[in-house]
Amino acid sequence: VKEIISERIEALIMNKKQKSILIGIVTALLLIILFAAMAFLNRIPMNPQGTIGNTAGNLNNSGLFCEHNGAVYFANSYDGNSLYAMNPDESDIRRLNSLEVQNILAGGKYLYYFQTGSNSTSGLGQVQGRRSFNRCNLKGRDTTTLTTDVVVTAQLVDNYLYMLTSTNSGPSFYKMKIDKSDKKVLAAIPINPACAQDSVIHYNGVETDHYLYALNTANDTPTEVWAGNLWYPILSDNYVYYLDVAENYRLCRYSLSQGVIEVLTNDRVDCFNVGSGYIYYQKKSSKPQLICMRTDGSNAFVVAEGNYTDINMTSQYVYFRAFDDQYTTYHSFIGSGGCSEFTAALEAVPAE
């Protein structure tokens, strides 16, 4: 009898141990599944090959407008440069958040921008009250701070952000993956990453020359492309549009295929943008003007008298602001004469 009782007790003990082990295994598996599910849900999907965040012309003009997949994202000057979205024809204007933004980039399922400050409360999940470079979804939500560095210019190339930042020790040019990983410092000189095409960044030299260089983002290796004397290069249709440093910053273009320089205007140019077969530029003189012309320099006409800046272009409109008035935004249908105030953006500002 004692032996039987002893065997039953041992069996009960073994069953309890087995149950404990089984419970432990099941718990561990559930935790693994939970962590895997959380990691999957928080995973940042990568972008299609060839993704570029914004045009060079827009980024060289503060990056206040950015067109992506049938939508235009922009900094609404009438609402403290808050982040807004609309259709390319300016319909369905809506606020995404009330952060003060510039250098807007778009790629895949996300927007990226430099937050210069904060206007007002903007709901849960918003990053406020500090300068930072952020990522959010296309609805302006789920904001994540990628860096608190002061970003001078940033560009999205495939799955990396290339950033020129200003630090206490001087400029820093580095790249960072869109999920905030794999940060790598590339140079301690002010390389402007705005001009990107086919996974290659083109920029002008800043140390010993103003030549045109190409940075292959596959290996981050720079090569000399052309021994010119240029500033603010913009690539379009196998041409490089640029300001000629040696000739009073006149606007020229250089054919990459033929190696030929064309002078587009002898005006001194403060800023310019290229798109949809047109160039818009600000003429610096005693009588300043905003001028539009074809990309070959023909059919030039005055869009507006005065001094304008922040020339941004979408597929349908050009937008700009007066140099001494950062509140009012003007627009003009690309290639058309005249301009008017972008009143639809003002009317879209929600009442607080």
Side-chain angles (χ1 to χ4, degrees):
V1 174
K2 289 182 179 180
E3 291 178 358
I4 293 172
I5 294 173
S6 177
E7 288 176 357
R8 289 182 177 178
I9 292 172
E10 289 179 0
L12 289 171
I13 293 172
M14 287 299 295
N15 286 336
K16 287 183 178 180
K17 287 182 177 179
Q18 289 173 349
K19 287 181 180 179
S20 297
I21 293 171
L22 182 60
I23 291 171
I25 292 172
V26 171
T27 302
L29 287 173
L30 289 174
L31 288 172
I32 291 171
I33 293 171
L34 178 62
F35 288 134
M38 290 177 63
F40 178 79
L41 291 173
N42 293 325
R43 179 179 60 88
I44 303 301
M46 296 295 103
N47 296 320
Q49 184 69 22
T51 295
I52 300 297
N54 202 344
T55 65
N58 284 353
L59 293 177
N60 288 337
N61 286 274
S62 300
L64 302 177
F65 287 75
C66 178
E67 188 164 350
H68 173 65
N69 284 353
V72 173
Y73 303 93
F74 68 101
N76 191 344
S77 63
Y78 300 102
D79 193 12
N81 287 331
S82 295
L83 182 62
Y84 275 63
M86 64 180 174
N87 296 328
D89 64 359
E90 300 184 339
S91 62
D92 191 23
I93 301 178
R94 60 214 181 263
R95 181 203 270 181
L96 300 186
N97 64 44
S98 61
L99 303 179
E100 184 179 341
V101 304
Q102 64 182 37
N103 202 115
I104 303 170
L105 308 172
K109 297 182 177 181
Y110 293 95
L111 301 176
Y112 307 82
Y113 55 84
F114 182 57
Q115 177 191 336
T116 60
S118 178
N119 327 332
S120 61
T121 58
S122 51
L124 297 175
Q126 300 300 336
V127 181
Q128 300 182 55
R130 60 178 179 176
R131 291 187 175 184
S132 58
F133 194 83
N134 302 332
R135 182 191 70 229
C136 68
N137 63 27
L138 298 179
K139 295 182 178 180
R141 302 170 185 167
D142 299 331
T143 303
T144 298
T145 295
L146 301 178
T147 180
T148 55
D149 292 339
V150 176
V151 175
V152 179
T153 307
Q155 177 63 286
L156 173 65
V157 182
D158 296 327
N159 294 306
Y160 281 87
L161 293 158
Y162 284 78
M163 300 185 180
L164 171 59
T165 64
S166 176
T167 69
N168 292 332
S169 57
S172 178
F173 177 60
Y174 64 83
K175 72 173 187 177
M176 175 193 299
K177 206 165 188 179
I178 58 173
D179 62 3
K180 204 176 177 179
S181 67
D182 197 21
K183 179 179 177 180
K184 181 182 179 182
V185 177
L186 302 175
I189 57 176
I191 294 175
N192 180 359
C195 183
Q197 181 176 287
D198 299 328
S199 302
V200 176
I201 294 172
H202 287 80
Y203 63 95
N204 57 262
V206 293
E207 290 186 296
T208 59
D209 58 63
H210 297 143
Y211 295 173
L212 180 67
Y213 291 90
L215 180 73
N216 187 340
T217 61
N219 50 26
D220 296 321
T221 301
T223 56
E224 181 185 312
V225 177
W226 172 49
N229 194 355
L230 64 151
W231 204 257
Y232 285 147
I234 295 177
L235 263 66
S236 179
D237 297 329
N238 210 38
Y239 284 97
V240 180
Y241 296 82
Y242 65 94
L243 299 183
D244 188 344
V245 177
E247 296 293 337
N248 198 34
Y249 293 89
R250 66 185 181 183
L251 187 58
C252 302
R253 71 176 182 178
Y254 173 76
S255 171
L256 292 172
S257 59
Q258 300 177 5
V260 176
I261 297 173
E262 296 177 70
V263 178
L264 303 178
T265 178
N266 283 305
D267 295 337
R268 180 184 172 93
V269 175
D270 281 339
C271 56
F272 74 102
N273 205 336
V274 182
S276 301
Y278 290 90
I279 298 173
Y280 285 81
Y281 73 90
Q282 175 62 40
K283 174 184 176 181
K284 183 174 183 177
S285 73
S286 58
K287 294 182 178 180
Q289 297 170 322
L290 180 66
I291 296 175
C292 174
M293 63 184 175
R294 302 294 302 193
T295 51
D296 63 359
S298 64
N299 301 324
F301 61 89
V302 176
V303 178
E305 300 284 347
N307 199 357
Y308 296 90
T309 187
D310 293 335
I311 305 169
N312 279 241
M313 298 179 73
T314 66
S315 58
Q316 297 189 32
Y317 286 89
V318 59
Y319 301 89
F320 48 93
R321 301 177 185 181
F323 185 78
D324 57 356
D325 176 13
Q326 293 298 291
Y327 175 77
T328 307
T329 296
Y330 299 92
H331 68 160
S332 177
F333 196 80
I334 290 180
S336 66
C339 64
S340 61
E341 186 177 348
F342 184 24
T343 54
L346 173 61
E347 295 166 357
V349 176
E352 297 296 345

